[in-house]
Each structure stands twice: as structure tokens, then as C-alpha cells.
Amino acid sequence: MKTLLEQAARTAMCAGLGLFATLSVALAGTYDLTIDEKSVNLTGSDRTGMAINGTIPGPVLRFKEGEALTINVTNKLNVDTSIHWHGLILSYKQDGVPGISFDGIKPGTTHTYRFPAQQNGTYWYHSHSGLQEQAGVYGAIVIEPKAREPFRYDREYVVVLSDWHDTKPEAVLANLKKMSDYYNRSQRTVGEGFGAAFEDRKMWGEMRMTPTDIADVSGYTYLINGSNTGQNWTGLFKPGERIRLRFVNASAMTFFDVRIPGLKMTVVQSDGNNVWPVNVDEFRIAVAETYDVIVRPKKDEAYT
């Protein structure tokens, strides 16, 4: 079993290679994950979230294709929890969905998952208990292939996209059940003219929708590797390097449009599967999807 000291050494080594400082890395073989509450401040106010090994997102789990995995998950919450291995090929008994594959992980207990890594690529894991995923119980998975991949790169980074709301997920859901447009705050009023407001409301009412139905909840703070736009995160490169970016959308409900001004992206994987390379200026990533892209910065400058 790998010790915490060894894990810390690996994390420090990876940081020296330019990995995002906010993402820890767990060692291959046997993993120990602990789910507990954590105080976070992502909006200027202290709130209580749920973390894995003390971080949101949880550590990046790195496997090798064909490796036999043992993952011990300890629950320090006062409610049941679970971990679901999103997109991985495994026995349903190890899938981590309470009520289907097992009863969940009771408070104060440890559950051991055992399964082989039967594929390679970029995936992610998250709680399948209550609304814990929205509170921070999620992280990325990287499975290294046995065979050589059909593309090459010099350096890689994991980029976990997510959203955070200061309102507890249970309260958000309760508000939506009381009023489906509770968070849709940009609607016509009589101040814009009674006739216009009435016709607008009538039209959308007939469709049983609102003009802002593209997103049921407003007020989210958007995160990259657990950091908001006002916090620093960075990746390093040398001009001419081929950089692999492993994007994971671990959000509660947000679609992200991803672009890097001044850089073309070549999509090489989708949901862990190799695809015919496609050059794009931007791509849209839905909830739970992953995309791997290659970029090649040619200038020694910052890219956003």
C-alpha cells in the first residue's frame, strides 16, 4: 500500500513538471480515498463543501491499462456516500450506485472497490449519493494505454471544469420544485410595457418554458481545477511543445464552450475513445463528457 508520504512526494514531483498546483495526484496500485466535509471560499463567503482527501476536486487517479485496482473509500460524513466510476468498464457490483450495485458507504466505514482497468483514456469519478457531487465529491481519472497512442505529445494537464453554488444543493433542488423558474431572474416586467410583457409571458407560457430555460439555475461560480476566475492556476510549456489537455466536465448542470485565443486545438479523444483528429477553434463540452485535445503554443507568452 502506498503511504501518504509517497503520495506527497509524487504530487510534488508532478508540480515540478508543471501540473496544476490545485490538483493532487494519487499513486497507482492501491488507493485510499477519504470523503469529508471541508470549508471552502469560492465566492467571498465561507461555505461547507465535501472533499476527497481534503481537496475539491479530489485527486487525479492514474491507472495503467490492465492494472488490478484496489480503492479503499472511507466515509467521514454523517450520511451515506459512494463513488461511481463514470465510463469505466467493470462489474455492476463495483459500479458504485447505491440501490443497484451495493447499499452505499455508511458513516464511519470503509468500502473497498476492486476491479481491473480494462481501457485507457480520460474519465472521472463522483458520488452517486444524494447531491454530493454538486457539493464537491468528484475527480478525474487518467488510464495510461498499453499500446502506443496514434498521436504524440510532450506534456499533459488535466483540466476539470465545474460549477459551484453557495446555496446547498438540497436547497437549490427544493426551490426548483417549488417554482421551476425560481433562479431565472432576467424576465420581462410591466416596466418594459404591459403589452410586451404580457405577450412575452403568454408565448413562453404556451410552450411551458421561460426565455431563460437554457439554464435552470443562475448564480453559479465556474471553476477550473477547483479555482475560480480570480484565483491563479497555471500550466507550463516551452514554445513548440505539443501539450495534451484532458478536459473533464464535472459540473452540476453547465455546458462549457472552450477556446484558447491564439491557439488551435486538435481533438484526439472523446469520452476516453480515440477519434479521427479534428482541428477546432472551440468546442462545447456537456455535463459528464471528456475531451482530449492537443495544442502547440509557438510563442513564449501566456494563453487564456
Side-chain angles (χ1 to χ4, degrees):
M1 182 179 295
K2 307 301 182 182
T3 66
L4 291 176
L5 181 61
E6 290 174 310
Q7 291 192 23
R10 173 66 179 268
T11 301
M13 180 184 70
C14 290
L17 292 174
L19 288 175
F20 295 110
T22 53
L23 285 183
S24 59
V25 180
L27 289 172
T30 298
Y31 298 81
D32 295 315
L33 303 179
T34 299
I35 302 174
D36 200 356
E37 290 188 342
K38 177 183 175 65
S39 178
V40 297
N41 189 330
L42 298 169
T43 63
S45 301
D46 291 335
R47 290 292 187 271
T48 299
M50 296 180 181
I52 304 174
N53 288 9
T55 66
I56 300 175
V60 178
L61 302 184
R62 287 189 171 270
F63 309 152
K64 292 183 179 179
E65 185 179 3
E67 182 181 14
L69 305 172
T70 299
I71 305 174
N72 304 308
V73 181
T74 299
N75 180 10
K76 288 191 175 182
L77 302 171
N78 58 9
V79 295
D80 289 8
T81 191
S82 60
I83 292 292
H84 166 64
W85 314 101
H86 196 105
L88 297 194
I89 301 172
L90 39 68
S91 164
Y92 82 93
K93 294 181 179 180
Q94 302 298 317
D95 198 41
V97 179
I100 297 179
S101 58
F102 76 141
D103 294 331
I105 307 172
K106 301 299 180 183
T109 67
T110 298
H111 178 79
T112 299
Y113 296 87
R114 291 186 175 91
F115 55 88
Q118 301 187 63
Q119 65 221 90
N120 64 76
T122 304
Y123 302 92
W124 68 300
Y125 63 97
H126 57 88
S127 173
H128 231 293
S129 299
L131 302 175
Q132 295 173 6
E133 177 190 325
Q134 289 91 317
V137 186
Y138 57 85
I141 296 172
V142 174
I143 308 178
E144 300 173 3
K146 285 182 178 179
R148 182 177 177 179
E149 293 178 294
F151 49 86
R152 63 182 182 86
Y153 57 95
D154 304 299
R155 195 189 300 268
E156 72 167 44
Y157 299 103
V158 175
V159 184
V160 179
L161 305 174
S162 59
D163 47 23
W164 171 269
H165 207 289
D166 270 353
T167 304
K168 289 185 176 181
E170 294 81 4
V172 171
L173 179 59
N175 290 334
L176 290 173
K177 285 187 173 182
K178 293 183 183 76
M179 184 186 301
S180 62
D181 58 350
Y182 182 94
Y183 292 96
N184 295 160
R185 296 163 185 162
S186 299
Q187 303 196 38
R188 286 187 182 273
T189 67
V190 292
E192 302 171 67
F194 178 82
F198 176 80
E199 288 300 322
D200 182 78
R201 290 295 182 94
K202 180 174 179 291
M203 176 184 67
W204 287 101
E206 290 173 349
M207 294 188 289
R208 299 177 64 84
M209 295 175 65
T210 72
T212 46
D213 244 3
I214 191 170
D216 289 330
V217 181
S218 57
Y220 274 117
T221 296
Y222 303 106
L223 309 177
I224 298 180
N225 293 344
S227 297
N228 62 37
T229 55
Q231 298 167 327
N232 188 43
W233 55 271
T234 186
L236 304 178
F237 67 90
K238 296 177 182 178
E241 280 188 326
R242 299 171 65 88
I243 311 298
R244 180 179 188 167
L245 302 176
R246 298 177 180 265
F247 286 95
V248 178
N249 186 346
S251 69
M253 61 157 289
T254 302
F255 282 58
F256 289 95
D257 290 334
V258 179
R259 53 188 172 273
I260 308 173
L263 281 182
K264 287 273 189 181
M265 296 180 287
T266 302
V267 179
V268 294
Q269 278 193 356
S270 173
D271 293 329
N273 298 294
N274 292 333
V275 298
W276 190 266
V278 179
N279 294 322
V280 299
D281 292 310
E282 72 174 64
F283 64 89
R284 176 168 294 175
I285 183 169
V287 176
E289 287 186 329
T290 74
Y291 280 105
D292 288 35
V293 307
I294 303 291
V295 297
R296 193 170 184 178
K298 296 182 179 180
K299 297 179 180 180
D300 189 10
E301 62 183 42
Y303 293 86
T304 301

